[in-house]
């Protein structure tokens, strides 16, 4: 199914099928690149089952862990070990068990001053640029092989909230967001639209009936952050039946 532009919607039965389909796409992206691979993870609850799946016997052996680098698209400005910390969730779900430590690239919320998500954003932007090997993004050389995304009840994605200035950032790769629009109400650090777009594939994972209302608005083309987030390569929306808007069913 297409949603009005080059984006593609793939419907699956339920959250378990969603995690399986997402894991297969992760594997396919990894298999397509014989060199160094960069994957940008997301927070929230939606990707947890996928992360746990990657640590299972069925998937673990299919990933060349030494060649894969793991980044995070946005972070809640809380200490690294805090249960709200997005990278902490990913670490607990699979990274600590499977990935070499130097290949895990968290947004440094501990080293920055506690009130300064901008400082943290600056440090992460620097880290991304060193990894990428240039200060400017080149469309023919994407920063990430794969960017995972979720969508919030207000249509936000990463920590790009509706009508926030971060949405229009065209130059910076990472910015601080002093105040979140939805829970948890902690400051955030987020990659910007141009940095997130610099990927071979952007993969949204959406499940559950509580997501159907916002997905209906997104697929209707409303001006929402989740609509503005698109890859320069492929953009895929993996959606389970419960979240699928009415006219996409059947
Ligand atoms: C965060 C996120 C955020 C998330 C969506 C969906 O830090 O909260 O990265 O953008 O992906 O809010 O969250 P759920 O998966 O929990 O619904």
């Amino acid at each position: 199914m297409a949603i009005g532009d080059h984006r593609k919607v793939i419907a699956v039965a339920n959250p378990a099928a969603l995690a399986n389909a997402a894991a297969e796409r992760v594997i396919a992206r990894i298999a397509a690149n014989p060199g160094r691979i960069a994957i940008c993870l997301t927070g929230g609850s939606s990707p947890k089952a996928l992360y746990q799946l990657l640590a299972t016997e069925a998937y673990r052996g299919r990933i060349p862990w030494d060649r894969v680098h793991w980044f995070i698209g946005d972070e809640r400005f809380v200490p690294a070990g805090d249960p709200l910390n997005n990278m902490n969730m990913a670490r607990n779900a699979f990274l600590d068990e499977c990935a070499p430590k130097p290949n895990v690239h968290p947004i440094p919320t501990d080293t920055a001053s506690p009130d300064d998500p901008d400082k943290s954003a600056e440090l992460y932007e620097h880290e991304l640029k060193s990894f990428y090997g240039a200060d400017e993004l080149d469309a023919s050389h994407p920063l990430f092989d794969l960017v995972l995304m979720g969508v919030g009840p207000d249509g936000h994605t990463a920590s790009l909230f509706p009508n926030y200035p971060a949405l229009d950032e065209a130059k910076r790769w990472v910015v601080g967001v002093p105040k979140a629009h939805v829970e948890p109400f902690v400051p955030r650090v987020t990659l910007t639209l141009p940095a997130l777009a610099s990927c071979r594939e952007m993969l949204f994972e959406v499940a559950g009936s509580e997501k159907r209302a916002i997905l209906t608005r997104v697929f209707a083309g409303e001006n929402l952050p989740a609509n503005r987030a698109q890859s320069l390569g492929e953009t895929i929306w993996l959606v389970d039946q419960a979240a699928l808007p009415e006219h996409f069913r059947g």
Side-chain angles (χ1 to χ4, degrees):
M1 277 176 277
I3 43 172
D5 43 40
H6 67 280
R7 291 176 293 169
K8 201 166 132 195
V9 180
I10 300 176
V12 294
N14 51 42
L18 189 91
N20 274 303
E24 288 303 328
R25 297 198 76 90
V26 171
I27 297 295
R29 279 294 154 193
I30 289 174
N33 182 351
R36 189 182 65 164
I37 296 148
I39 297 185
C40 186
L41 301 171
T42 184
S45 54
S46 308
K48 197 169 173 187
L50 161 66
Y51 298 167
Q52 289 170 334
L53 202 53
L54 295 177
T56 61
E57 225 170 277
Y59 285 97
R60 197 174 170 155
R62 296 167 70 190
I63 298 175
W65 294 97
D66 285 348
R67 285 197 291 121
V68 187
H69 288 256
W70 308 91
F71 295 86
I72 190 96
D74 75 307
E75 192 53 271
R76 288 95 177 259
F77 201 68
V78 293
D82 191 293
L84 286 178
N85 187 283
N86 285 334
M87 193 55 117
N88 185 49
M89 186 274 281
R91 289 188 116 118
N92 289 333
F94 78 116
L95 293 174
D96 279 353
E97 203 185 323
C98 305
K101 208 161 180 252
N103 291 14
V104 179
H105 303 264
I107 290 176
T109 54
D110 288 326
T111 54
S113 120
D115 303 316
D116 193 3
D118 279 333
K119 179 70 194 160
S120 170
E122 219 177 88
L123 291 169
Y124 206 53
E125 181 165 318
H126 181 74
E127 178 160 357
L128 283 170
K129 286 180 172 171
S130 316
F131 180 85
Y132 186 64
D135 285 345
E136 300 290 333
L137 291 166
D138 169 359
S140 64
H141 170 44
L143 172 57
F144 300 114
D145 292 87
L146 180 66
V147 169
L148 297 173
M149 298 283 251
V151 59
D154 56 351
H156 81 262
T157 191
S159 283
L160 296 165
F161 299 102
N163 305 316
Y164 273 41
L167 256 185
D168 297 313
E169 179 60 51
K171 196 167 160 43
R172 298 284 313 273
W173 296 17
V174 191
V175 294
V177 179
K179 207 169 158 211
H181 189 240
V182 294
E183 281 188 340
F185 292 105
V186 293
R188 312 287 185 102
V189 178
T190 187
L191 268 64
T192 58
L193 289 175
L196 292 165
S198 182
C199 61
R200 296 186 191 282
E201 175 175 334
M202 182 179 285
L203 180 64
F204 283 84
E205 271 193 277
V206 191
S209 56
E210 66 282 3
K211 291 284 163 88
R212 201 188 305 162
I214 189 59
L215 219 49
T216 303
R217 292 174 58 196
V218 171
F219 288 180
E222 219 178 287
N223 182 13
L224 293 166
N227 259 335
R228 291 178 58 182
Q230 297 193 30
S231 169
L232 294 177
E234 251 190 303
T235 305
I236 307 285
W237 283 75
L238 260 184
V239 182
D240 85 339
Q241 284 298 331
L244 208 58
E246 208 59 57
H247 65 284
F248 275 84
R249 294 157 156 254

